[in-house]
Amino acid sequence: VEKGVPVTLTIFFPPSQLLGKVASLYWVSESGSLEQWYTDLAQGSSLLQKTVSGERWRLRDAKSGNHLLSVNVPAANITVQIEPASAVTLELHYADVRRTRLITPSASPDGAALPVEGEVLTATTTKPRIEDDTVGELRVFKAAAVSEDQFGAGRLIGIGDRQVGRLAPDGQLHVQLTPGDVLMTADATGRVCFETIATHELHQHVNVFCAPLGEELPATTR
């Protein structure tokens, strides 16, 4: 593609209950490592964006930040339309809980009394007490069928649930899904500790937090 040719990029965003109400337009650097916000586009409207061939643009949901559409500008005027995706990718990120240090509320880590309100604190090199310094790999499943009232029930992986990968602490996993699919993670016992529903956004970022036994599952896209 010849670069630098003046081009008009026309973007249509038809009304749809399957997507968010507002999309954000970003210019993307050649390396793909930088995105610069330009403007927002509401459902039911259109936008004319002056650009040049060889440039890259990306549209994201203004609320979730998830990827809706990417455009590589050709050497001619181009028209694109934001539409609900029929095949999507979920990019899972699993935070390492060993980075979280817990301090018991009744005393400081070295056994001294905690300071009262207003007392001047001095620096200390004492490391906080670690309640649990172990963290395990999670198994990732596509649910066979889950009704809305089953979310957060602390259930176990079922015979019809299909494993699609594993997720290590500080790891990432990309899973191809259809909107409406339910994705779950389970600990070593088979207990479901996280779940989310795939939306119609093209590329979705999901932070996975495995809820401890007896606690509510984290809020997800459900």
Side-chain angles (χ1 to χ4, degrees):
V1 176
E2 182 183 358
K3 293 186 177 181
V5 177
V7 170
T8 297
L9 169 62
T10 304
I11 304 170
F12 289 99
F13 191 6
S16 172
Q17 295 182 347
L18 301 178
L19 293 175
K21 295 181 179 180
V22 180
S24 295
L25 177 66
Y26 293 84
W27 172 86
V28 183
S29 66
E30 187 172 356
S31 66
S33 60
L34 174 66
E35 293 187 5
Q36 174 66 51
W37 176 85
Y38 259 64
T39 189
D40 287 337
L41 180 65
Q43 284 197 16
S45 62
S46 61
L47 171 70
L48 299 179
Q49 178 62 51
K50 298 296 184 180
T51 182
V52 295
S53 58
E55 296 285 0
R56 299 168 62 192
W57 297 85
R58 183 166 296 148
L59 287 141
R60 295 185 177 275
D61 181 271
K63 184 176 181 180
S64 70
N66 286 331
H67 180 189
L68 301 175
L69 177 70
S70 287
V71 181
N72 294 319
V73 180
N77 293 338
I78 181 174
T79 299
V80 297
Q81 184 165 293
I82 304 172
E83 297 178 327
S86 58
V88 300
T89 300
L90 263 66
E91 181 179 337
L92 307 179
H93 299 257
Y94 179 28
D96 190 339
V97 299
R98 289 172 294 187
R99 299 183 186 278
T100 302
R101 306 303 190 183
L102 301 179
I103 303 177
T104 55
S106 59
S108 63
D110 57 4
L114 290 175
V116 298
E117 183 177 357
E119 183 177 347
V120 177
L121 300 179
T122 56
T124 176
T125 58
T126 304
K127 292 184 178 180
R129 178 180 304 166
I130 303 171
E131 296 290 336
D132 183 1
D133 202 33
T134 62
V135 64
E137 182 181 67
L138 297 177
R139 291 180 296 160
V140 182
F141 293 83
K142 177 184 174 184
V146 181
S147 61
E148 189 72 16
D149 58 3
Q150 284 182 287
F151 277 107
R155 58 194 174 81
L156 299 176
I157 290 297
I159 191 171
D161 299 326
R162 180 170 62 89
Q163 184 169 335
V164 294
R166 292 178 177 271
L167 193 56
D170 269 349
Q172 300 181 21
L173 178 67
H174 292 73
V175 182
Q176 307 297 318
L177 295 173
T178 299
D181 285 345
V182 176
L183 200 66
M184 310 176 295
T185 62
D187 60 20
T189 68
R191 178 182 63 90
V192 175
C193 59
F194 180 89
E195 52 200 6
T196 190
I197 301 177
T199 69
H200 286 265
E201 297 164 325
L202 183 64
H203 192 114
Q204 303 162 40
H205 298 264
V206 180
N207 291 320
V208 174
F209 300 93
C210 191
L213 185 63
E215 293 190 9
E216 291 288 331
L217 294 186
T220 66
T221 54
R222 64 178 183 271

